Amino acid sequence: MSASAASLDQRPIVKSGASADRTFQLITAGAAWFVLILLAGIAASMAWGGRLAFKTFGWRFVTSPDWDAVGGHFGALVPIYGTLVTSAIALLIAVPVSIGIALFLTDIAPRWTRGPIAIAIELLAAIPSIIYGMWGLFVFAPFMAAHVEPWLSDHLGGNAIVGPLFSGPPIGIGMLTAGIVLGIMVIPFIAAVAREVFSAVPAPLRESAVALGSTRWEVLRSVTLPYTRSAMIGAIFLGLGRALGETMAVTFVLGNAHDLSASLLMPSNSIAAAIANEFTEADTDLYRSSLIALGFLLFVVTFIVLSIAKLLLMRINKQMGRTH
Amino acid sequence: MAIPARRRIADVVAFVFATAATVFGLFWLAWILWITFREGAAALTPSLFTQMTPPPGSSGGILNALYGSAVMILLGVLIGTPIGVAAGTYLAEHGRYTRIAAAVSFINDILLSAPSIVIGLFIYELVVRNAGHFSGFAGALSLAIILLPIVVRTTQESLLLIPDTMREAGFALGMPRWRVTRQILYKAAMSAILTGILLGIARIAGETAPLLFTALNNQFWSANLNAPLANLPVVIFQYAMSPYDEWHTLAWAGAFVLTAFVLLLNILVRLIARKGKQ
């Protein structure tokens, strides 16, 4: 670097600056393009790797529940269903909890505790997902099997409407456990955005509501939530994107079963868990291609979900006067 | 004027709910950490750091896995950081306000949250399938791809925080733009970029999914990057899923080491960042 700088210095200043500038700009622009090419490359290689499965099965790949490695039939309905159900459970838990945490951190907590509590919640996101998985398998699933699931099947299993969701043996491993673990994992992501946008609500708006006699709950319901609605939906989609693609924690507690079952207490599968469990065992081209096709589906769905999240969050950033 | 009881009760309920939600979040953190440290501390032995991963039924350590993880993280940082800093520089400097920068910024945020298992599949298709075998190098590449968007984002953000007057001061001295960037902006943004890289290391240290079918695993000591390489996350995964008690113990020990490393790095980074702000 220093040698080239020295040789450049002998040329007229303006010219040397211009040509070195162009080189520098080309390098950085190339790196930026690399990010775009990388994403396109990932999508293309998933589509290419999965082409055999898509060609062989067509639409049946996403509508058929048969996943038979020996017979060579691969339908992804069970992993798709499991992914959607566990993510839905995760959001049902994480969204209200995250809003509560954001409210607590912006309105209720004593000022000096806000920083440490926010960091502790952020640390939930720092714990590697494999640790969630181990804890889930060795501690949380047995806990669910011993205490929560028997109660659920006793009290709700006989119910005409929700009964089928809670029937079956309490084995701990299953969609409910996986959904709860996922919920815990996405709380920090949703809570961080919620807290940020809550504290960005203009003070005059909130103060006006208070001056009109609103209680804290009424300020949240009638001012803060409506004002931050699009950003909150963005935050929820961000959490959804995380939940859909989460692999290791789910792999541990979902049970890798390829049976379609309405009960949340039964083992199931998810797209990411199926890939993690079976990819190194896939011994035929069609098997491997089917798993990569699953990866393609996962990538496309998370891309759409995360794009929606980003678009919604960009809007609030603009409102808050930020350009990036 | 007294607030009607119904509204007052709604307010108290909201207050209690928000507090309970925070306790709920902290409760899981405490539970998971407590279990990891209790089980892990019981499993800690000196041989953990001196012996290789054992076959079923015998005792051993995780030295080869620690080494493999360290090498892959280091290599991932060496590959991902320069590209990430360059791309982040373009977004904040030359490319600022351009459409391409807006697009890259958008895509980068999606890569930031993209499922890491898909990145593992990508590297499998790109490298492992063409090479015909799993390798530590492929594992390092997939870690680099996960690190890349983190570095891009922090570089972009920390450069944008630098006031334009600093750039103008450089230009006024007749410095070409690349010198302004290298000698003024990078110096000012250095600690923020380093913070981002450290957080990125904490993130890729625990990544398991992308290593499952790139680096795979290796029961023995190997320093060959062109062959399957042992690594901590996959060892934890395989040993935890196994039916053997000795392996479970080792998995907890590995989980303890990994969690302690990741948490310490996170807390350290936050302390440094806070000091920088004051």
Side-chain angles (χ1 to χ4, degrees):
Chain A
M1 220 25 174
S2 62
S4 71
S7 68
L8 286 174
D9 283 347
Q10 285 156 13
R11 284 188 252 156
I13 290 170
V14 178
K15 204 183 166 204
S16 86
S19 88
D21 247 3
R22 192 162 311 126
T23 315
F24 191 74
Q25 178 172 358
L26 277 178
I27 292 171
T28 57
W33 273 99
F34 179 75
V35 173
L36 288 188
I37 293 165
L38 187 63
L39 189 101
I42 293 172
S45 82
M46 292 298 105
W48 179 253
R51 74 192 185 286
L52 183 62
F54 287 128
K55 221 181 340 185
T56 311
F57 303 114
W59 280 108
R60 277 187 299 132
F61 185 69
V62 290
T63 56
S64 160
D66 296 324
W67 186 273
D68 176 11
V70 182
H73 294 286
F74 297 101
L77 186 62
V78 174
I80 291 171
Y81 176 75
T83 304
L84 294 179
V85 170
T86 50
S87 298
I89 298 172
L91 287 186
L92 279 179
I93 296 168
V95 171
V97 169
S98 302
I99 292 178
I101 291 174
L103 179 65
F104 183 80
L105 286 175
T106 48
D107 266 9
I108 299 171
R111 207 159 278 278
W112 63 272
T113 65
R114 291 179 188 181
I117 293 175
I119 288 177
I121 296 290
E122 276 174 35
L123 285 183
L124 270 178
I127 296 176
S129 69
I130 188 156
I131 305 297
Y132 279 95
M134 269 193 87
W135 165 82
L137 178 68
F138 290 117
V139 180
F140 189 57
F143 173 82
M144 291 288 287
H147 302 292
V148 180
E149 293 183 352
W151 187 90
L152 283 175
S153 56
D154 284 353
H155 290 79
L156 300 171
N159 189 298
I161 301 163
V162 297
L165 290 179
F166 298 106
S167 58
I171 49 176
I173 302 285
M175 288 193 276
L176 182 64
T177 307
I180 295 174
V181 174
L182 272 183
I184 303 164
M185 297 182 76
V186 299
I187 284 174
F189 294 100
I190 305 180
V193 180
R195 174 181 177 232
E196 197 183 331
V197 294
F198 278 15
S199 54
V201 174
L205 270 183
R206 291 155 49 92
E207 284 160 7
S208 313
V210 174
L212 289 171
S214 300
T215 61
R216 259 180 314 209
W217 162 241
E218 286 159 350
V219 174
L220 176 75
R221 206 195 50 186
S222 331
V223 177
T224 309
L225 282 181
Y227 187 82
T228 58
R229 186 173 51 214
S230 71
M232 282 309 300
I233 298 172
I236 293 168
F237 272 87
L238 187 68
L240 178 62
R242 288 273 174 180
L244 290 170
E246 175 48 49
T247 309
M248 297 320 292
V250 177
T251 305
F252 273 99
V253 294
L254 201 45
N256 196 32
H258 276 290
D259 310 309
L260 199 58
S261 156
S263 174
L264 301 181
L265 308 187
M266 294 298 281
S268 177
N269 215 331
S270 84
I271 295 178
I275 301 172
N277 269 319
E278 300 178 31
F279 195 75
T280 44
E281 294 163 14
D283 43 7
T284 64
D285 281 344
L286 186 60
Y287 196 178
R288 202 174 300 123
S289 174
S290 299
L291 288 167
I292 296 176
L294 275 183
F296 178 74
L297 291 181
L298 180 64
F299 186 72
V300 170
V301 171
T302 48
F303 181 86
I304 294 168
V305 167
L306 292 170
S307 298
I308 295 172
K310 176 78 180 143
L311 288 172
L312 290 166
L313 289 171
M314 257 161 50
R315 214 169 349 149
I316 193 98
N317 277 348
K318 257 184 205 149
Q319 275 175 18
M320 282 155 60
R322 276 192 267 146
T323 50
H324 61 96
Chain B
M1 192 177 70
I3 297 171
R6 207 166 50 94
R7 292 176 54 203
R8 219 170 40 228
I9 289 167
D11 190 52
V12 171
V13 168
F15 179 97
V16 171
F17 169 75
T19 313
T22 309
V23 172
F24 181 84
L26 298 177
F27 163 75
W28 300 106
L29 180 73
W31 193 5
I32 293 168
L33 290 184
W34 183 67
I35 294 290
T36 309
F37 286 100
R38 192 192 64 184
E39 298 285 330
L44 279 184
T45 55
S47 62
L48 200 62
F49 302 102
T50 56
Q51 293 182 15
M52 308 302 150
T53 45
S58 59
S59 64
I62 50 171
L63 178 65
N64 50 340
L66 291 173
Y67 170 80
S69 273
V71 169
M72 280 193 285
I73 292 170
L74 189 70
L75 201 56
V77 170
L78 287 180
I79 300 168
T81 305
I83 304 176
V85 169
T89 306
Y90 183 78
L91 300 185
E93 300 300 323
H94 285 98
R96 204 197 300 191
Y97 308 124
T98 62
R99 253 188 221 162
I100 172 76
V104 171
S105 203
F106 186 91
I107 292 299
N108 189 66
D109 268 16
I110 291 184
L111 273 181
L112 207 55
S113 303
S116 56
I117 190 148
V118 173
I119 289 166
L121 282 179
F122 172 61
I123 293 296
Y124 176 88
E125 283 286 287
L126 198 70
V127 179
V128 178
R129 186 190 279 248
N130 290 326
H133 56 85
F134 300 101
S135 67
F137 184 66
L141 267 186
S142 58
L143 292 185
I145 292 181
I146 294 170
L147 180 73
L148 176 71
I150 305 175
V151 177
V152 172
R153 190 70 204 265
T154 41
T155 304
Q156 181 195 9
E157 285 194 338
S158 42
L159 287 176
L160 283 173
L161 281 178
I162 300 173
D164 279 341
T165 45
M166 296 254 282
R167 296 180 177 85
E168 286 155 10
F171 296 146
L173 289 172
M175 289 170 92
R177 189 155 191 177
W178 68 281
R179 284 226 158 143
V180 172
T181 307
R182 273 191 45 198
Q183 295 178 345
I184 300 179
L185 301 182
Y186 281 170
K187 277 216 175 100
M190 182 62 82
S191 69
I193 295 175
L194 276 179
T195 302
I197 295 171
L198 287 178
L199 283 178
I201 290 175
R203 161 91 195 272
I204 60 175
E207 281 292 348
T208 317
L211 298 180
L212 285 174
F213 19 83
T214 52
L216 199 67
N217 196 359
N218 193 333
Q219 198 193 321
F220 306 103
W221 173 268
S222 164
N224 185 0
L225 277 175
N226 203 22
L229 190 61
N231 59 90
L232 191 52
V234 176
V235 165
I236 296 175
F237 176 56
Q238 289 185 347
Y239 281 18
M241 292 293 242
S242 77
Y244 312 111
D245 280 342
E246 291 91 349
W247 278 14
H248 288 173
T249 310
L250 269 184
W252 277 118
F256 173 81
V257 172
L258 179 60
T259 310
F261 174 74
V262 168
L263 283 187
L264 284 179
L265 206 52
N266 264 283
I267 293 169
L268 194 76
V269 162
R270 285 184 165 82
L271 287 179
I272 295 171
R274 181 176 291 182
K275 213 173 194 182
K277 260 177 209 161
Q278 277 168 355

PDB file of all heavy atoms in Angstrom, chain B residues 251-277:
ATOM      1  N   ALA B 251     -21.469 -32.432  26.579  1.00  0.00           N
ATOM      2  CA  ALA B 251     -22.275 -31.428  25.882  1.00  0.00           C
ATOM      3  C   ALA B 251     -22.586 -30.262  26.812  1.00  0.00           C
ATOM      4  O   ALA B 251     -22.514 -29.097  26.409  1.00  0.00           O
ATOM      5  CB  ALA B 251     -23.569 -32.055  25.364  1.00  0.00           C
ATOM      6  N   TRP B 252     -22.892 -30.569  28.080  1.00  0.00           N
ATOM      7  CA  TRP B 252     -23.154 -29.485  29.034  1.00  0.00           C
ATOM      8  C   TRP B 252     -21.903 -28.654  29.275  1.00  0.00           C
ATOM      9  O   TRP B 252     -21.964 -27.427  29.369  1.00  0.00           O
ATOM     10  CB  TRP B 252     -23.666 -30.044  30.361  1.00  0.00           C
ATOM     11  CG  TRP B 252     -25.134 -30.333  30.347  1.00  0.00           C
ATOM     12  CD1 TRP B 252     -25.732 -31.543  30.525  1.00  0.00           C
ATOM     13  CD2 TRP B 252     -26.205 -29.390  30.152  1.00  0.00           C
ATOM     14  NE1 TRP B 252     -27.092 -31.421  30.426  1.00  0.00           N
ATOM     15  CE2 TRP B 252     -27.418 -30.115  30.203  1.00  0.00           C
ATOM     16  CE3 TRP B 252     -26.265 -28.020  29.911  1.00  0.00           C
ATOM     17  CZ2 TRP B 252     -28.665 -29.514  30.041  1.00  0.00           C
ATOM     18  CZ3 TRP B 252     -27.497 -27.416  29.749  1.00  0.00           C
ATOM     19  CH2 TRP B 252     -28.675 -28.160  29.812  1.00  0.00           C
ATOM     20  N   ALA B 253     -20.755 -29.354  29.369  1.00  0.00           N
ATOM     21  CA  ALA B 253     -19.508 -28.614  29.561  1.00  0.00           C
ATOM     22  C   ALA B 253     -19.272 -27.681  28.374  1.00  0.00           C
ATOM     23  O   ALA B 253     -18.915 -26.508  28.548  1.00  0.00           O
ATOM     24  CB  ALA B 253     -18.342 -29.591  29.722  1.00  0.00           C
ATOM     25  N   GLY B 254     -19.504 -28.202  27.172  1.00  0.00           N
ATOM     26  CA  GLY B 254     -19.336 -27.371  25.978  1.00  0.00           C
ATOM     27  C   GLY B 254     -20.314 -26.221  25.971  1.00  0.00           C
ATOM     28  O   GLY B 254     -19.958 -25.081  25.630  1.00  0.00           O
ATOM     29  N   ALA B 255     -21.564 -26.501  26.370  1.00  0.00           N
ATOM     30  CA  ALA B 255     -22.585 -25.447  26.407  1.00  0.00           C
ATOM     31  C   ALA B 255     -22.177 -24.356  27.379  1.00  0.00           C
ATOM     32  O   ALA B 255     -22.365 -23.162  27.121  1.00  0.00           O
ATOM     33  CB  ALA B 255     -23.928 -26.044  26.810  1.00  0.00           C
ATOM     34  N   PHE B 256     -21.593 -24.774  28.506  1.00  0.00           N
ATOM     35  CA  PHE B 256     -21.146 -23.805  29.504  1.00  0.00           C
ATOM     36  C   PHE B 256     -20.054 -22.907  28.929  1.00  0.00           C
ATOM     37  O   PHE B 256     -20.112 -21.680  29.042  1.00  0.00           O
ATOM     38  CB  PHE B 256     -20.627 -24.565  30.738  1.00  0.00           C
ATOM     39  CG  PHE B 256     -19.981 -23.690  31.774  1.00  0.00           C
ATOM     40  CD1 PHE B 256     -20.753 -22.990  32.680  1.00  0.00           C
ATOM     41  CD2 PHE B 256     -18.599 -23.568  31.837  1.00  0.00           C
ATOM     42  CE1 PHE B 256     -20.171 -22.174  33.628  1.00  0.00           C
ATOM     43  CE2 PHE B 256     -18.007 -22.753  32.783  1.00  0.00           C
ATOM     44  CZ  PHE B 256     -18.790 -22.056  33.678  1.00  0.00           C
ATOM     45  N   VAL B 257     -19.061 -23.532  28.300  1.00  0.00           N
ATOM     46  CA  VAL B 257     -17.953 -22.761  27.731  1.00  0.00           C
ATOM     47  C   VAL B 257     -18.476 -21.778  26.682  1.00  0.00           C
ATOM     48  O   VAL B 257     -18.133 -20.589  26.675  1.00  0.00           O
ATOM     49  CB  VAL B 257     -16.900 -23.713  27.115  1.00  0.00           C
ATOM     50  CG1 VAL B 257     -15.844 -22.920  26.348  1.00  0.00           C
ATOM     51  CG2 VAL B 257     -16.261 -24.558  28.191  1.00  0.00           C
ATOM     52  N   LEU B 258     -19.354 -22.285  25.814  1.00  0.00           N
ATOM     53  CA  LEU B 258     -19.891 -21.453  24.730  1.00  0.00           C
ATOM     54  C   LEU B 258     -20.713 -20.278  25.281  1.00  0.00           C
ATOM     55  O   LEU B 258     -20.527 -19.122  24.886  1.00  0.00           O
ATOM     56  CB  LEU B 258     -20.756 -22.320  23.814  1.00  0.00           C
ATOM     57  CG  LEU B 258     -21.422 -21.634  22.631  1.00  0.00           C
ATOM     58  CD1 LEU B 258     -20.376 -21.024  21.730  1.00  0.00           C
ATOM     59  CD2 LEU B 258     -22.277 -22.627  21.850  1.00  0.00           C
ATOM     60  N   THR B 259     -21.614 -20.589  26.236  1.00  0.00           N
ATOM     61  CA  THR B 259     -22.464 -19.538  26.788  1.00  0.00           C
ATOM     62  C   THR B 259     -21.630 -18.494  27.528  1.00  0.00           C
ATOM     63  O   THR B 259     -21.860 -17.282  27.387  1.00  0.00           O
ATOM     64  CB  THR B 259     -23.500 -20.145  27.750  1.00  0.00           C
ATOM     65  OG1 THR B 259     -24.131 -21.227  27.091  1.00  0.00           O
ATOM     66  CG2 THR B 259     -24.540 -19.128  28.150  1.00  0.00           C
ATOM     67  N   ALA B 260     -20.653 -18.964  28.317  1.00  0.00           N
ATOM     68  CA  ALA B 260     -19.823 -18.028  29.059  1.00  0.00           C
ATOM     69  C   ALA B 260     -19.085 -17.108  28.090  1.00  0.00           C
ATOM     70  O   ALA B 260     -19.043 -15.886  28.278  1.00  0.00           O
ATOM     71  CB  ALA B 260     -18.829 -18.794  29.941  1.00  0.00           C
ATOM     72  N   PHE B 261     -18.541 -17.691  27.009  1.00  0.00           N
ATOM     73  CA  PHE B 261     -17.809 -16.904  26.024  1.00  0.00           C
ATOM     74  C   PHE B 261     -18.712 -15.846  25.387  1.00  0.00           C
ATOM     75  O   PHE B 261     -18.374 -14.660  25.323  1.00  0.00           O
ATOM     76  CB  PHE B 261     -17.243 -17.841  24.954  1.00  0.00           C
ATOM     77  CG  PHE B 261     -16.576 -17.129  23.808  1.00  0.00           C
ATOM     78  CD1 PHE B 261     -15.327 -16.541  23.963  1.00  0.00           C
ATOM     79  CD2 PHE B 261     -17.200 -17.049  22.569  1.00  0.00           C
ATOM     80  CE1 PHE B 261     -14.724 -15.883  22.906  1.00  0.00           C
ATOM     81  CE2 PHE B 261     -16.597 -16.393  21.510  1.00  0.00           C
ATOM     82  CZ  PHE B 261     -15.354 -15.806  21.675  1.00  0.00           C
ATOM     83  N   VAL B 262     -19.893 -16.285  24.944  1.00  0.00           N
ATOM     84  CA  VAL B 262     -20.802 -15.385  24.236  1.00  0.00           C
ATOM     85  C   VAL B 262     -21.297 -14.270  25.164  1.00  0.00           C
ATOM     86  O   VAL B 262     -21.318 -13.092  24.796  1.00  0.00           O
ATOM     87  CB  VAL B 262     -21.986 -16.187  23.653  1.00  0.00           C
ATOM     88  CG1 VAL B 262     -23.072 -15.251  23.171  1.00  0.00           C
ATOM     89  CG2 VAL B 262     -21.514 -17.066  22.513  1.00  0.00           C
ATOM     90  N   LEU B 263     -21.672 -14.640  26.394  1.00  0.00           N
ATOM     91  CA  LEU B 263     -22.198 -13.634  27.318  1.00  0.00           C
ATOM     92  C   LEU B 263     -21.118 -12.638  27.723  1.00  0.00           C
ATOM     93  O   LEU B 263     -21.361 -11.430  27.760  1.00  0.00           O
ATOM     94  CB  LEU B 263     -22.775 -14.308  28.563  1.00  0.00           C
ATOM     95  CG  LEU B 263     -24.151 -14.951  28.399  1.00  0.00           C
ATOM     96  CD1 LEU B 263     -24.664 -15.422  29.732  1.00  0.00           C
ATOM     97  CD2 LEU B 263     -25.129 -13.982  27.762  1.00  0.00           C
ATOM     98  N   LEU B 264     -19.918 -13.156  28.026  1.00  0.00           N
ATOM     99  CA  LEU B 264     -18.843 -12.254  28.431  1.00  0.00           C
ATOM    100  C   LEU B 264     -18.529 -11.261  27.318  1.00  0.00           C
ATOM    101  O   LEU B 264     -18.365 -10.063  27.558  1.00  0.00           O
ATOM    102  CB  LEU B 264     -17.586 -13.051  28.804  1.00  0.00           C
ATOM    103  CG  LEU B 264     -17.638 -13.736  30.170  1.00  0.00           C
ATOM    104  CD1 LEU B 264     -16.357 -14.509  30.435  1.00  0.00           C
ATOM    105  CD2 LEU B 264     -17.858 -12.696  31.273  1.00  0.00           C
ATOM    106  N   LEU B 265     -18.471 -11.776  26.082  1.00  0.00           N
ATOM    107  CA  LEU B 265     -18.191 -10.909  24.941  1.00  0.00           C
ATOM    108  C   LEU B 265     -19.263  -9.830  24.820  1.00  0.00           C
ATOM    109  O   LEU B 265     -18.961  -8.649  24.624  1.00  0.00           O
ATOM    110  CB  LEU B 265     -18.141 -11.754  23.670  1.00  0.00           C
ATOM    111  CG  LEU B 265     -17.298 -11.229  22.512  1.00  0.00           C
ATOM    112  CD1 LEU B 265     -15.910 -10.885  22.982  1.00  0.00           C
ATOM    113  CD2 LEU B 265     -17.235 -12.265  21.399  1.00  0.00           C
ATOM    114  N   ASN B 266     -20.536 -10.227  24.959  1.00  0.00           N
ATOM    115  CA  ASN B 266     -21.642  -9.277  24.862  1.00  0.00           C
ATOM    116  C   ASN B 266     -21.565  -8.201  25.931  1.00  0.00           C
ATOM    117  O   ASN B 266     -21.749  -7.017  25.661  1.00  0.00           O
ATOM    118  CB  ASN B 266     -22.979 -10.020  24.992  1.00  0.00           C
ATOM    119  CG  ASN B 266     -23.565 -10.341  23.644  1.00  0.00           C
ATOM    120  OD1 ASN B 266     -24.127  -9.484  22.983  1.00  0.00           O
ATOM    121  ND2 ASN B 266     -23.389 -11.576  23.206  1.00  0.00           N
ATOM    122  N   ILE B 267     -21.298  -8.645  27.174  1.00  0.00           N
ATOM    123  CA  ILE B 267     -21.277  -7.690  28.280  1.00  0.00           C
ATOM    124  C   ILE B 267     -20.075  -6.758  28.150  1.00  0.00           C
ATOM    125  O   ILE B 267     -20.179  -5.542  28.325  1.00  0.00           O
ATOM    126  CB  ILE B 267     -21.277  -8.446  29.635  1.00  0.00           C
ATOM    127  CG1 ILE B 267     -22.622  -9.160  29.791  1.00  0.00           C
ATOM    128  CG2 ILE B 267     -21.020  -7.517  30.790  1.00  0.00           C
ATOM    129  CD1 ILE B 267     -22.680 -10.141  30.929  1.00  0.00           C
ATOM    130  N   LEU B 268     -18.931  -7.359  27.777  1.00  0.00           N
ATOM    131  CA  LEU B 268     -17.712  -6.575  27.587  1.00  0.00           C
ATOM    132  C   LEU B 268     -17.932  -5.481  26.549  1.00  0.00           C
ATOM    133  O   LEU B 268     -17.612  -4.306  26.762  1.00  0.00           O
ATOM    134  CB  LEU B 268     -16.598  -7.516  27.127  1.00  0.00           C
ATOM    135  CG  LEU B 268     -15.178  -6.977  27.190  1.00  0.00           C
ATOM    136  CD1 LEU B 268     -14.712  -6.982  28.627  1.00  0.00           C
ATOM    137  CD2 LEU B 268     -14.245  -7.822  26.339  1.00  0.00           C
ATOM    138  N   VAL B 269     -18.522  -5.883  25.425  1.00  0.00           N
ATOM    139  CA  VAL B 269     -18.761  -4.925  24.337  1.00  0.00           C
ATOM    140  C   VAL B 269     -19.651  -3.786  24.817  1.00  0.00           C
ATOM    141  O   VAL B 269     -19.413  -2.614  24.517  1.00  0.00           O
ATOM    142  CB  VAL B 269     -19.394  -5.656  23.144  1.00  0.00           C
ATOM    143  CG1 VAL B 269     -20.041  -4.663  22.203  1.00  0.00           C
ATOM    144  CG2 VAL B 269     -18.355  -6.480  22.412  1.00  0.00           C
ATOM    145  N   ARG B 270     -20.676  -4.127  25.606  1.00  0.00           N
ATOM    146  CA  ARG B 270     -21.596  -3.085  26.071  1.00  0.00           C
ATOM    147  C   ARG B 270     -20.912  -2.148  27.052  1.00  0.00           C
ATOM    148  O   ARG B 270     -21.168  -0.941  27.047  1.00  0.00           O
ATOM    149  CB  ARG B 270     -22.822  -3.730  26.696  1.00  0.00           C
ATOM    150  CG  ARG B 270     -23.734  -4.298  25.642  1.00  0.00           C
ATOM    151  CD  ARG B 270     -25.000  -4.863  26.213  1.00  0.00           C
ATOM    152  NE  ARG B 270     -25.957  -5.070  25.151  1.00  0.00           N
ATOM    153  CZ  ARG B 270     -25.964  -6.134  24.361  1.00  0.00           C
ATOM    154  NH1 ARG B 270     -25.071  -7.072  24.522  1.00  0.00           N
ATOM    155  NH2 ARG B 270     -26.853  -6.251  23.402  1.00  0.00           N
ATOM    156  N   LEU B 271     -20.030  -2.710  27.895  1.00  0.00           N
ATOM    157  CA  LEU B 271     -19.304  -1.854  28.829  1.00  0.00           C
ATOM    158  C   LEU B 271     -18.402  -0.892  28.075  1.00  0.00           C
ATOM    159  O   LEU B 271     -18.345   0.304  28.376  1.00  0.00           O
ATOM    160  CB  LEU B 271     -18.471  -2.710  29.792  1.00  0.00           C
ATOM    161  CG  LEU B 271     -19.277  -3.466  30.864  1.00  0.00           C
ATOM    162  CD1 LEU B 271     -18.345  -4.293  31.732  1.00  0.00           C
ATOM    163  CD2 LEU B 271     -20.059  -2.479  31.722  1.00  0.00           C
ATOM    164  N   ILE B 272     -17.698  -1.420  27.062  1.00  0.00           N
ATOM    165  CA  ILE B 272     -16.807  -0.562  26.269  1.00  0.00           C
ATOM    166  C   ILE B 272     -17.622   0.522  25.570  1.00  0.00           C
ATOM    167  O   ILE B 272     -17.266   1.708  25.591  1.00  0.00           O
ATOM    168  CB  ILE B 272     -16.030  -1.395  25.232  1.00  0.00           C
ATOM    169  CG1 ILE B 272     -15.104  -2.371  25.938  1.00  0.00           C
ATOM    170  CG2 ILE B 272     -15.244  -0.486  24.309  1.00  0.00           C
ATOM    171  CD1 ILE B 272     -14.462  -3.377  25.013  1.00  0.00           C
ATOM    172  N   ALA B 273     -18.759   0.106  24.981  1.00  0.00           N
ATOM    173  CA  ALA B 273     -19.575   1.066  24.239  1.00  0.00           C
ATOM    174  C   ALA B 273     -20.076   2.164  25.170  1.00  0.00           C
ATOM    175  O   ALA B 273     -20.101   3.339  24.817  1.00  0.00           O
ATOM    176  CB  ALA B 273     -20.745   0.347  23.574  1.00  0.00           C
ATOM    177  N   ARG B 274     -20.451   1.779  26.388  1.00  0.00           N
ATOM    178  CA  ARG B 274     -20.965   2.779  27.330  1.00  0.00           C
ATOM    179  C   ARG B 274     -19.855   3.743  27.739  1.00  0.00           C
ATOM    180  O   ARG B 274     -20.063   4.947  27.810  1.00  0.00           O
ATOM    181  CB  ARG B 274     -21.531   2.076  28.566  1.00  0.00           C
ATOM    182  CG  ARG B 274     -22.103   3.053  29.568  1.00  0.00           C
ATOM    183  CD  ARG B 274     -22.744   2.338  30.716  1.00  0.00           C
ATOM    184  NE  ARG B 274     -23.957   1.645  30.313  1.00  0.00           N
ATOM    185  CZ  ARG B 274     -24.715   0.964  31.167  1.00  0.00           C
ATOM    186  NH1 ARG B 274     -24.361   0.868  32.419  1.00  0.00           N
ATOM    187  NH2 ARG B 274     -25.801   0.379  30.752  1.00  0.00           N
ATOM    188  N   LYS B 275     -18.651   3.193  27.954  1.00  0.00           N
ATOM    189  CA  LYS B 275     -17.519   4.033  28.326  1.00  0.00           C
ATOM    190  C   LYS B 275     -17.233   5.031  27.213  1.00  0.00           C
ATOM    191  O   LYS B 275     -16.969   6.196  27.456  1.00  0.00           O
ATOM    192  CB  LYS B 275     -16.282   3.151  28.570  1.00  0.00           C
ATOM    193  CG  LYS B 275     -15.362   3.698  29.636  1.00  0.00           C
ATOM    194  CD  LYS B 275     -14.271   2.692  29.916  1.00  0.00           C
ATOM    195  CE  LYS B 275     -13.529   3.011  31.185  1.00  0.00           C
ATOM    196  NZ  LYS B 275     -12.443   2.036  31.417  1.00  0.00           N
ATOM    197  N   GLY B 276     -17.326   4.535  25.966  1.00  0.00           N
ATOM    198  CA  GLY B 276     -17.065   5.406  24.830  1.00  0.00           C
ATOM    199  C   GLY B 276     -18.027   6.577  24.769  1.00  0.00           C
ATOM    200  O   GLY B 276     -17.671   7.661  24.326  1.00  0.00           O
ATOM    201  N   LYS B 277     -19.276   6.314  25.203  1.00  0.00           N
ATOM    202  CA  LYS B 277     -20.293   7.359  25.108  1.00  0.00           C
ATOM    203  C   LYS B 277     -20.068   8.450  26.143  1.00  0.00           C
ATOM    204  O   LYS B 277     -20.405   9.602  25.906  1.00  0.00           O
ATOM    205  CB  LYS B 277     -21.690   6.739  25.309  1.00  0.00           C
ATOM    206  CG  LYS B 277     -22.410   6.509  23.985  1.00  0.00           C
ATOM    207  CD  LYS B 277     -23.747   5.842  24.228  1.00  0.00           C
ATOM    208  CE  LYS B 277     -24.150   4.980  23.041  1.00  0.00           C
ATOM    209  NZ  LYS B 277     -25.163   4.007  23.397  1.00  0.00           N
TER     210      LYS B 277
END
